[in-house]
DNA sequence: CAAATATTAATTGTCTGACATATGCCGAGA
DNA sequence: TCTCGGCATATGTCAGACAATTAATATTTG
């Protein structure tokens, strides 16, 4: 591990980079313990606070965890799918909000990706998957369900759909795409009529999957995509109308 | 912004979370300046090193940048697609290596996602996109090209393919999937024969896109997927044979 | 008056040393 | 043998200081 630092750049950044490289290259094995902060400070010839800043950078990326006490220290994390997923969702959410990605673009990407899961889901779905889908559909038909809960169930439905494809890498990608859309979806007011429409498409999807009918599944998803776009378009129109009326 | 801290958990983590929330919620606008470290220390009633650890956590996620000097400070970064992409690639790479995702699973996910781009790419591809595809194909036929360069060109080809879909969100997702596969692909030795096979499929793909022929494009991509799997399978067999022969 | 130069103030980057706190380990005593 | 209390080690936090950088301001000079 290189311990010479370029005094032009931030020490903590260089130290973090060095350790990160050691982790990525497998030089530091998963669950392996890093030297103590005092050790690292000596090795890199910097102070402990500087080392700590470097370690916090790595902790922010879930690359290490720290533990206090006698046998404590910093340990290399196994990057779990769950953690990576969480991270991806926040990144994707920020990306959508900060770059003013419009609803149509986000929606298009999301449904395009989801369509990619259908062929696999049609062949691999288990009874458990189908039961999960139907459970969410039932939930979506509940009386008095808030818009937010309806959205949450919608996300759960699509997540279950993706899970049915039985590919963790695919699930990871999709979770980011679907969940990042949720804030945008939450802005939509779901009337009783639109809920019924969505539930109908969900039902079609579940049925198609149960029958392993790829063509029907694609049709149902396309239907859902265009209907979602339509709902989103109404929202945009309403907001535009409101903005115009207030002169902003 | 909440300034009360739970003394049970790390201060720097809570402070980072608080500021992150402020950024995500739009409370702190892009390019907005955060209070100085001394200010934050006073507000949260902690010391400056603790505040700095929090800021470094945010810097590690590209959420802020810092600048020294009189008018310096920490500023909210606009999360660009390029940055997010880079981040996603490293995360995806780590995910694949640390969780021993097998070649088949990664490959399946990658091609499934790529297939999702084809319908859009067929309708939206511009002459510039097609030229880019053909340029990479030409490069892949170059004599004396190293395996690594061949792989790089392969990545560039597929990236161009995804770009042709004209959806930045989709491109972002795909870049993570395709580039994270590169280390795995780099382990494959591409014989002259396998290169020719791949180039033939790339050519088919480019032609299908030029003709806006979705069916042909899908067929070419499926061909490429199964051939890639086949190559990967050979590698695994070879490695298994080697492992067996060395008794490991 | 204008331009070059020195001063100053604000801010991040780093260091030093210290104390608080958590936790496994080991030995002393019941 | 089992329990309990110190001890060593490690991270978490603090306080104060100095260095380095940078923009704005004051000052000097042509």
């Amino acid at each position: 591990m290189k311990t010479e630092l370029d005094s032009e750049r931030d020490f903590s950044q260089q130290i973090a980079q060095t350790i990160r490289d050691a982790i990525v290259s497998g030089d530091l094995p998963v669950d392996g313990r890093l030297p103590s902060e005092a050790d690292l400070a000596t090795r890199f010839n910097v102070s402990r606070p500087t080392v700590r800043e470097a370690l916090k950078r790595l902790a922010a990326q879930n690359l290490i965890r720290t533990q206090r006490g006698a046998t404590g220290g910093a340990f290399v994390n196994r990057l779990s799918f769950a953690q990576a997923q969480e991270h991806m969702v926040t990144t994707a959410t920020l990306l959508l909000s900060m770059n003013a990605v419009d609803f149509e673009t986000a929606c298009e990407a999301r449904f395009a990706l989801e369509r990619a899961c259908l062929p696999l889901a049609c062949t691999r779905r288990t009874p458990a998957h189908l039961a999960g889908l139907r459970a969410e559909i039932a939930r979506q038909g509940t009386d008095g369900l808030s818009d937010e809960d309806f959205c949450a169930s919608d996300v759960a439905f699509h997540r279950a759909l993706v899970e049915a494809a039985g590919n963790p890498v695919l699930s990871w990608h999709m979770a980011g795409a679907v969940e990042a859309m949720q804030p945008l979806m939450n802005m939509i007011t779901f009337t009783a009529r639109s809920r019924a429409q969505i539930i109908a498409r969900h039902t079609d999807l579940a049925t198609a999957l149960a029958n392993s009918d790829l063509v029907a599944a694609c049709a149902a998803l396309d239907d859902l995509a265009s209907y979602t776009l339509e709902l989103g378009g109404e929202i945009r129109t309403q907001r535009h109308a409101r903005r115009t009326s207030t002169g902003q």
Side-chain angles (χ1 to χ4, degrees), chain A:
Chain A
M1 200 153 67
K2 288 245 168 75
T3 57
E4 300 88 40
L5 300 179
D6 173 10
S7 63
E8 295 301 299
R9 295 189 302 137
D10 281 7
F11 289 162
S12 68
Q13 195 183 353
Q14 297 177 61
I15 294 172
Q17 185 63 51
T18 302
I19 299 177
R20 187 184 357 259
D21 288 347
I23 293 175
V24 172
S25 73
D27 206 348
L28 286 169
V30 169
D31 290 330
R33 184 178 173 280
L34 272 65
S36 73
E37 295 175 355
D39 263 17
L40 289 170
T42 305
R43 289 196 205 194
F44 286 105
N45 202 27
V46 296
S47 67
R48 223 187 93 191
T50 303
V51 167
R52 281 182 62 82
E53 287 179 11
L55 293 181
K56 293 315 165 199
R57 293 179 116 109
L58 299 176
Q61 297 176 291
N62 273 320
L63 282 174
I64 61 171
R65 62 182 180 278
T66 55
Q67 203 176 349
R68 294 176 72 166
T71 58
F75 299 85
V76 177
N77 257 342
R78 154 159 280 121
L79 186 61
S80 70
F81 278 95
Q83 280 175 331
Q85 203 159 290
E86 195 181 316
H87 207 267
M88 162 113 101
V89 171
T90 64
T91 304
T93 306
L94 268 176
L95 207 49
L96 294 189
S97 69
M98 279 189 172
N99 290 278
V101 173
D102 52 65
F103 188 81
E104 287 77 8
T105 305
C107 219
E108 179 179 275
R110 173 202 183 295
F111 281 106
L113 292 173
E114 197 161 348
R115 201 173 297 116
C117 302
L118 289 184
L120 294 169
C122 273
T123 63
R124 297 195 187 147
R125 89 287 180 283
T126 65
H129 290 135
L130 296 174
L133 292 175
R134 300 225 179 266
E136 291 304 331
I137 291 175
R139 185 166 157 65
Q140 286 155 23
T142 311
D143 270 344
L145 200 67
S146 73
D147 276 350
E148 202 164 273
D149 286 343
F150 182 79
C151 276
S153 173
D154 187 67
V155 167
F157 176 86
H158 289 285
R159 195 200 277 260
L161 179 61
V162 171
E163 286 293 326
N167 185 311
V169 180
L170 205 49
S171 295
W172 173 64
H173 273 285
M174 289 304 306
V178 173
E179 294 207 13
M181 279 286 297
Q182 192 162 18
L184 293 178
M185 296 293 286
N186 272 336
M187 300 186 326
I188 300 178
T189 306
F190 292 97
T191 61
R193 177 174 155 67
S194 65
R195 287 193 191 187
Q197 294 265 350
I198 290 173
I199 291 172
R201 267 103 177 154
H202 284 175
T203 307
D204 288 348
L205 256 174
T207 305
L209 246 62
N211 297 335
S212 296
D213 184 346
L214 178 56
V215 175
C218 282
L221 191 63
D222 284 343
D223 256 17
L224 185 58
S226 51
Y227 188 65
T228 306
L229 269 175
E230 193 182 312
L231 284 179
E234 286 175 15
I235 295 302
R236 201 180 45 170
T237 308
Q238 286 170 16
R239 201 178 321 154
H240 184 261
R242 199 161 47 237
R243 210 180 311 167
T244 306
S245 70
T246 57
Q248 304 222 346

